[in-house]
Amino acid sequence: VELKAVDAAYPHAGQLMLASGGDARAALDLRDGRHGALVVPELLERLGVSVGDAIAVGNAQLRVGGVIANEPDRLADGIGLGPRLLISEEALEETGLVRPGSLIRWTYRTDISASRVGNIAAVQEAAKQQFPLAGWRIRTRDNASPRLSRNIERFAQFLTLVGLTALVVGGVGVANAVASFVDMKRPAIATLKCLGASGQLIFRIYFLQILLLAAAGIVIGLAVGALLPFIAGVFLADLLPIDSAPGFFPLQLLLAAVYGMLVTISFSIWPLGRARELPATSLFADRAIPASMKPHRDYRLIQAITLAALVAMAIGLAVDRRIAIVFVVAVLTVFLILRVISALIITLAGRAGAIRGTTLRLAVRNIQRPGALTSSVVLSLG
């Protein structure tokens, strides 16, 4: 059972009611040498006893005084580990269960009148300062379940990490996808340049294609995100202890769309800008002899601004900004580490020396050849 012992002042608010009516407090009193005990219906079924029968709890013989119909503070006690058995403090002493090693939670309730509502926070802070080692948890009328609040806070932190991770992984995916897209379009880009198309026109054409594809993906994602709460509410209705209230949240959906577009722009500027700067001859030959060319300064500046905006939004709108800041710093550090690892792999492959076996020799040489995808593969796997 989950044993609960109460003092003479219990309940401090609400009413403790019995299924048969009558005085619940009187049912706990000592009578014929036995203290009373109040139980829940399922305990009677498990033990096969009725009201008035004797039950043993520890060293004490108790009398089943009644069945609980309403326990006013049951919800505040959280999830029970067993059927409720409610007794008096005097009965608890007779059981002999209070000893070193017993799992006991003591609850004290203080009544702060309505006229002193503003002092709740002050009382709470004063208690923490005067008794810093007490190890208690303080619940107030505006935070009736600190444990639930902490769990919600942890879940929000977890979702923050999941969301930020999705942004990073999505960004890497966009960068690799755009790089592959540009690589596939090299002949078309080279042909357009040979026909007189300017680099700016080339950039606008393919950047518009990328944005249209991204917009289509974002719309699909928004539709799924908007409908999923309603679908989940139907399937989880029998599992949730309360009624769910799914709704349409345009602000959050708009924020998701902005995130998606910023990620697309931030990670597609570099490969598109590089294709804009390469001359037609380099575009034709770049697969075999890659040209070490960076995008124009303007495109690098645009990429830096969009990345900064993405980081600022991720940190500024996070539930826990400290976790968001640590995450962003960690991601930048990991990116740097992975770049160093890829450079080290390329160096080791270049110094491998003579390798027997044609397949293995070609594989190792391909790791360190000009234009190899080693850095991208290491970054993606990392």
Side-chain angles (χ1 to χ4, degrees), residues 39 177 289 314 322 330:
V39 300
I289 309 174
R322 181 184 62 86

Side-chain angles (χ1 to χ4, degrees), residues 109-129:
R109 290 190 170 86
T110 303
D111 183 11
I112 299 180
S113 61
S115 61
R116 299 176 57 195
V117 171
N119 293 334
I120 291 180
V123 172
Q124 185 176 357
E125 187 61 31
K128 290 180 180 179
Q129 292 181 0

Side-chain angles (χ1 to χ4, degrees), residues 42-335:
E42 55 264 31
L43 184 57
L44 293 180
E45 297 176 4
R46 290 191 183 186
L47 298 181
V49 297
S50 303
V51 176
D53 291 345
I55 57 174
V57 180
N59 300 328
Q61 290 288 325
L62 304 178
R63 181 191 75 260
V64 179
V67 178
I68 301 173
N70 178 63
E71 186 181 351
D73 56 344
R74 186 68 185 92
L75 184 61
D77 289 339
I79 299 175
L81 302 178
R84 167 73 83 226
L85 178 64
L86 194 146
I87 62 176
S88 64
E89 284 189 325
E90 293 78 14
L92 179 63
E93 294 178 4
E94 290 188 8
T95 63
L97 296 177
V98 181
R99 62 180 67 180
S102 298
L103 296 178
I104 305 174
R105 182 171 67 249
W106 301 90
T107 303
Y108 298 89
R109 290 190 170 86
T110 303
D111 183 11
I112 299 180
S113 61
S115 61
R116 299 176 57 195
V117 171
N119 293 334
I120 291 180
V123 172
Q124 185 176 357
E125 187 61 31
K128 290 180 180 179
Q129 292 181 0
Q130 293 184 34
F131 306 99
L133 301 180
W136 54 33
R137 295 195 301 268
I138 300 178
R139 292 189 304 214
T140 61
R141 67 191 66 170
D142 59 347
N143 186 16
S145 181
R147 183 183 303 176
L148 178 61
S149 299
R150 283 195 302 273
N151 288 337
I152 293 175
E153 180 182 353
R154 290 168 183 165
F155 187 63
Q157 292 172 345
F158 171 74
L159 291 180
T160 298
L161 294 176
V162 170
L164 293 175
T165 304
L167 288 178
V168 174
V169 174
V172 173
V174 168
N176 290 338
V178 174
S180 299
F181 176 74
V182 171
D183 185 69
M184 181 179 66
K185 292 295 184 179
R186 287 178 188 274
I189 295 174
T191 302
L192 288 173
K193 285 200 169 186
C194 291
L195 294 175
S198 64
Q200 188 175 8
L201 177 61
I202 297 293
F203 179 87
R204 286 204 302 264
I205 290 174
Y206 290 101
F207 186 58
L208 181 60
Q209 289 187 21
I210 298 297
L211 291 182
L212 290 175
L213 290 172
I218 289 172
V219 169
I220 295 173
L222 294 179
V224 173
L227 295 176
L228 195 58
F230 295 93
I231 299 174
V234 174
F235 288 98
L236 299 179
D238 296 334
L239 302 177
L240 296 177
I242 57 176
D243 293 332
S244 61
F248 182 72
F249 303 95
L251 182 60
Q252 283 71 22
L253 294 175
L254 175 62
L255 182 62
V258 172
Y259 271 125
M261 196 56 68
L262 279 178
V263 167
T264 301
I265 297 173
S266 300
F267 289 89
S268 62
I269 289 289
W270 186 277
L272 289 176
R274 184 175 179 272
R276 177 197 184 282
E277 297 300 320
L278 288 172
T281 53
S282 297
L283 284 168
F284 281 120
D286 196 37
R287 291 182 178 179
I289 309 174
S292 58
M293 184 173 294
K294 296 180 180 179
H296 189 269
R297 182 181 66 250
D298 294 344
Y299 296 105
R300 283 181 283 165
L301 180 61
I302 294 174
Q303 184 184 41
I305 292 174
T306 53
L307 283 174
L310 190 62
V311 171
M313 284 182 60
I315 295 176
L317 300 178
V319 176
D320 191 325
R321 293 183 180 179
R322 181 184 62 86
I323 283 185
I325 293 174
V326 171
F327 185 91
V328 170
V329 174
V331 166
L332 295 176
T333 303
V334 168
F335 266 75

